[in-house]
Amino acid sequence: FESPTVSLIPFASSVSNPDSTYFRRRTDAPFRGQRYGHVEFGPDNRFFEVISADFHSIARGLDIYTEVTYRSNIEFTVGLLYRDNSTGDIAIEPVVTVRPQSAWNTIYVHMIGQIRELTNLFGTDIEFALWISADGEGGDGFIQFDDIRMIHEI
């Protein structure tokens, strides 16, 4: 969170719901570096939803992964937000639900299957953004993120 590879911005439920939450930068126990992003859930902070600030066109055959280093006691979902440039339509494609981990954990989410499926369905005039979402269901909890990267062939 010192210099994020993926710049994240609030989206949908984090913008439209008054009981939404967003990252707070903390320094007490990062996985790597000096800071991490902390998301706190509670009765007044139920929803968390972000997308990457930039959309990317990704060729049909190129591999793409999302790397996420986290610890949490709340489940969250990692996926894609895609935009059909010919119609302007935007939709979400969840890829994986991530289970809570008390210690720092790094996962790699392979997204090529969803990208191939979407480009086969809509053609090549679509762009993708990273999407992360959680619903704390009104309970107390947290998610902490240290590294979030999209890795793909050029």
Side-chain angles (χ1 to χ4, degrees), residues 37-59:
H38 181 86
V39 181
E40 191 73 32
F41 293 87
D44 296 328
N45 294 321
R46 177 177 177 171
F47 298 105
F48 170 76
E49 191 170 20
V50 294
I51 62 169
S52 54
D54 299 313
F55 280 80
H56 302 280
S57 295
I58 299 169

Side-chain angles (χ1 to χ4, degrees), residues 11-84:
F11 181 72
S13 61
S14 284
V15 174
S16 64
N17 288 305
D19 55 347
S20 66
T21 186
Y22 191 61
F23 294 111
R24 291 188 180 92
R25 289 188 181 199
R26 294 185 50 178
T27 59
D28 54 312
F31 174 72
R32 180 185 357 250
Q34 298 177 356
R35 293 184 204 105
Y36 64 92
H38 181 86
V39 181
E40 191 73 32
F41 293 87
D44 296 328
N45 294 321
R46 177 177 177 171
F47 298 105
F48 170 76
E49 191 170 20
V50 294
I51 62 169
S52 54
D54 299 313
F55 280 80
H56 302 280
S57 295
I58 299 169
R60 192 179 312 215
L62 296 182
D63 250 343
I64 180 167
Y65 294 84
T66 297
E67 174 188 332
V68 180
T69 300
Y70 75 98
R71 62 183 172 189
S72 72
N73 63 3
I74 300 262
E75 288 185 350
F76 62 95
T77 303
V78 176
L80 297 164
L81 180 87
Y82 61 94
R83 175 174 58 202
D84 182 340

